[in-house]
Amino acid sequence: MLDIAVFAAATIAVLLLLAYFQAPILVWTVAAGLMLATWLSAFDFSMITNFSVAALFVLIGAVLNINLLRRKIVSDHVLALFRRILPDMSQTEKEAIDAGTVWWDADLFSGKPDWNRMLAIPAPGLSAEEQAFLDGPCEEVCGMTNDWEVTHERYDLPPQVWQYVKDKGFLGMIIPKQYGGLGFSAMGHSAVVMKLATRSNALAVTVMVPNSLGPAELLLHYGTDEQKNHYLPRLAKGLEVPCFALTSPEAGSDAASIPDYGVVCKGMFQGKEVLGMKVTWDKRYITLGPVATLLGLAFRLYDPAHLLGGKEDLGITCALVPTNHPGVNIGRRHLPLNAVFQNGPNSGKDVFMPIDWIIGGKDYAGKGWMMLMGCLAAGRSISLPTSSVGGAKGLARMTGAYARVRSQFKTPIGKLEGVEEALGRIAANCYMMEAVRVMTAGAVDLGEKPAVISAIAKYHMTERVRKIVDDAMDIHGGKGICLGPNNWVGRGYQVIPVGITVEGANILTRTLIIFGQGAIRCHPYVLREMRAAKEMQGAAASIEFDDAFTSHIGHTLSNGVRAFVHGVTSSRLGQVPRDGAPETRHYYRFSSRLAAAFAFLADVSMLAMGGALKRKEKISGRLGDVLSMLYLISATLKHYEDQGRIKEDLPLIRWAVRDAAYQAQEAIDAILSNFPVKSLATLLRWTIFPLGMSFRPPLDARNHECAKIVLEPGAARDRLTAGMYVGKGESDPTGVLEAAFLATIACEPVDEKLHKAVKKGKIVPQPGVDLGSLGIQYKIITAEENAQWQRKEMLRKNVIKVDDFPQDFGRADIVSKLVQEKTRTENTSTAKAA
């Protein structure tokens, strides 16, 4: 019996080893042959039995190792079944799947991320020109912008800010210099939007949109030379204000189903009969639409008269339409949660326009969805993730300062554990968000268009800033809920849901895109199998499917065994980078374990549920959560390395990584608890969590260390909030807060003297007499210390006060001010004309 147990244990160990390293079929066959020979020689079987078993083994080995036999006996039958059960994919679905590129997400989906490769990715940076722009025009325009004036008085940026933005090229950051643009990198573009977002949401969005998915981006990739030479210089100089109209009342997140249509026909344009199209559309939520001079328009184009060829339904098409063109109805506004960036509907009915207005010309008729999907990834990688990071940085710095200035129970509220807990979350989430911003923008600068990663960045940055602003509002309390010129939280709190909603609602981004698109694009074998089944025929399809299918089986077995081994060994065998920091090596091991578990669980889920997984959105959403957490952890660890392993920042890394690993574990647990095949769910749990769920949420001690970073001035706080705008002077609400923060800390020794004197009875507090004056009176502090204390108190009271208004909230004064301004402008224009 002992011999049998030893042989069995040795056999299992060899099989696990082969699966762990994903050995080729031939190696499996040789190892199995040796093990079988050992078994047959060790036990006294009859010759007939030995011969029969050996013959069966040779037969199976031949089928598995001879490609032609394997295809005929196994793979071709699986391919036939696969073709029957795999649903057909529409053209728009194919274009969405094919859009963008696969990058680090493929490593995560493989279950074996190559950490050395990740750390070898160059750290992105800013050029001297980009840094000068941030230090010059960016600082200038932030100083010119008063967000309360923008959001309460004007419901728009002031005219001088609009003009400055146009004159300095903010609207043409992505346009190459040859066309008069700034030609900024993705990192430079991101840094500008981030800084503007720390000052004013309306300012950031106004600059962000022309540099995201829209006319400029589409022209750069698909426009004709004539279109580029005409429009790009005008867009770069702000002579044209662009918008792009995609969303319709009947087609929001399901943008591919837009009902807007055009019909190819001939018509009159500028006194001549030309080939064109009559377009009917009804759009809404179009940012910059009310003030746009150039409308990018998406619609489905039909050619019933076959003027462009034999096809009638050409598909989604993108065109550029001057907004002063007859029939274009534009100019009215939406008001999305008091976010006053220009946004509104536009429409037209049977508006004739030349066929040359199609972006790329008539050759690109019907290729609009491909164009949009191809450009979406780059824009989505920057705009909303970046503006969210700007919001997070502003809130981290200002909330930490307020929590140090504001005292209750004779203690700065930031030192109360309940407040400290929220501050720690804010700081650590801010660090992780910045890491994701930098890594994702860096990918774009490397030439990537990371479709899945951009969806992860958009979803998780907007969701995390929502948590940050919730925590910030809780800390500010009444100061945060009373809107006014001295409130730096309220407008951000209001506007957060806008980012959650646009560029794909977050609920659908999480449940349909992150895993749904990732499972096809990022998986090493699924897309190959699908294409062999649906796009290839004959021997080519058989060979391709056989190679992908057999590799897929080995891939799944390997990840299952690796997940089990990592679970049994508490991740001690997990991969780590050669040159990674010693203090973070265990986080790489944990992440390797989670990656193997995710890849195995994803494959088993696809096998068990097939096409139904697409409809199991709760499960696919949680699978997307695991993939997302792996990317967030990766970005955080890389950021720590790229910044030079600064030990002061370690609490932020430890909290953020541990929190993400715990969330990934919880998502896996929720998948297993709701897995439709219960017996398989049990097997999966034993494989992934053989010793139970070992990841724990961040420690309170780490949270305390994170909170200290935003409660104290210093390099760590400045690094965490680097790139944001801080108001200049004590007349600016954020400027006075920063001054009060520094004054409060500088005055703490004086405060301590006064409090000790009160405690010992040397000072008796008196109604109406401040403590500093009593300190002077009783010779507890010097005159210089009293001056310091009085200044601190003046700043503190300025910070904690809340705004109040007359009954009409000052509307009468605002109207009078705007009327006077309009009169002055008209008088100036008249004088110039004369």
Side-chain angles (χ1 to χ4, degrees), residues 56 123 156 162 180 222 261 283 317 341 379-380 456 645 778:
L56 180 61
D156 192 9
W162 266 109
Y222 305 107
Y261 64 93
K283 303 289 189 180
T317 300
F341 56 85
R380 191 166 57 187
I456 291 172
R645 303 179 184 178
Y778 291 102

Side-chain angles (χ1 to χ4, degrees), residues 534-555:
K534 290 297 183 180
E535 298 178 16
M536 302 172 70
Q537 298 296 327
S542 175
I543 292 169
E544 174 68 4
F545 185 83
D546 172 73
D547 182 64
F549 178 66
T550 52
S551 299
H552 194 162
I553 292 173
H555 169 80

